[in-house]
Amino acid sequence: MTGFHGEYEATVDAKGRFLVPGGLKKQLPEGESRFIVSRGFEKCLTLYPIKSWELIIAKISLLNDFDPKVRQFRRQFLGGATEVELDSAGRILLPPSLKEFAGLAKDIILAAALDRFEIWNAAGYKQLFDDFSPGAFSDLAKEVMTGTTDK
C-alpha cells in the first residue's frame, strides 16, 4: 500500500451516520467494507480499514504484557475500538461514545493519515492549521524529517 491521501468533507446525520466520500472510497482496496473506528491520539477518531487494523494488532500483540506502560497503552488504544461496516447506501455509523469523545456534530473532515483516516470536527480541524504558522511547519518538517532522505 502506498498510503491514503486527501481531505474529505462529510456530514453526520441525526442517527450518527456519514456517507463515505467517493474520493476516499476509490482509494480503498476493492471490496473493502469493514473498518475499525477508535479514539485518535488527539480529539479525533481514527478509521482503519480492517487490513490496516490487523497489521497494528499484530504489532501490539507482541508487546510485553508485564510492562505497566504496555498495559496502559493497550487500554487507551484499544478501548472503544469498534468494528463498523459500510451500509448499502455507503454510510458508516459512528458509535455515540466515540462521536462524543471527538466532539463530532454535523460537519466533519476525513483526513488521510497513511494507512488510515482521521475523522475530525470540521471547525477543530481547520483550527489546527490556523494555529500553525508556515514557519512552525517548516521547523517541524526539518526536525522530524532530518535523516530520512539523502537530499
Side-chain angles (χ1 to χ4, degrees), residues 129-144:
F129 294 92
D130 289 348
D131 291 345
F132 210 65
S133 73
F137 179 54
S138 179
D139 292 343
L140 177 63
K142 179 181 175 187
E143 183 180 334
V144 301

Side-chain angles (χ1 to χ4, degrees), residues 10-12 103-109 120-123:
T11 303
V12 178
L104 303 179
K106 184 178 178 189
D107 297 323
I108 62 172
I109 301 290
W120 289 87
N121 169 297

Side-chain angles (χ1 to χ4, degrees), residues 36-39 75-83 95 97-98:
I36 298 293
V37 63
S38 65
R39 293 179 190 96
R75 281 184 211 107
Q76 293 294 127
F77 188 77
L78 300 173
T82 304
E83 185 171 333
S97 63
L98 294 180

Side-chain angles (χ1 to χ4, degrees), residues 2 10-12 24 26 52 55 83 99 109 116 118 127:
T2 58
T11 303
V12 178
L24 185 157
K26 288 178 186 176
S52 294
L55 294 173
E83 185 171 333
K99 205 174 113 189
I109 301 290
R116 62 196 172 275
E118 294 178 338
Q127 194 66 47

Side-chain angles (χ1 to χ4, degrees), residues 57-72:
I57 291 301
K59 289 179 184 179
I60 291 173
S61 69
L62 298 175
L63 298 175
N64 180 358
D65 205 31
F66 292 103
D67 184 335
K69 288 182 180 181
V70 168
R71 293 193 305 271
Q72 183 62 31

Side-chain angles (χ1 to χ4, degrees), residues 2 5 10 20 23 35 38 41-43 52-53 64 67 88 92-93 101 105 120 142-143:
T2 58
H5 59 275
V20 174
F35 302 86
S38 65
F41 291 113
E42 288 84 18
K43 270 297 205 199
S52 294
W53 181 256
N64 180 358
D67 184 335
S88 60
I92 289 178
L93 175 64
F101 166 82
W120 289 87
K142 179 181 175 187
E143 183 180 334

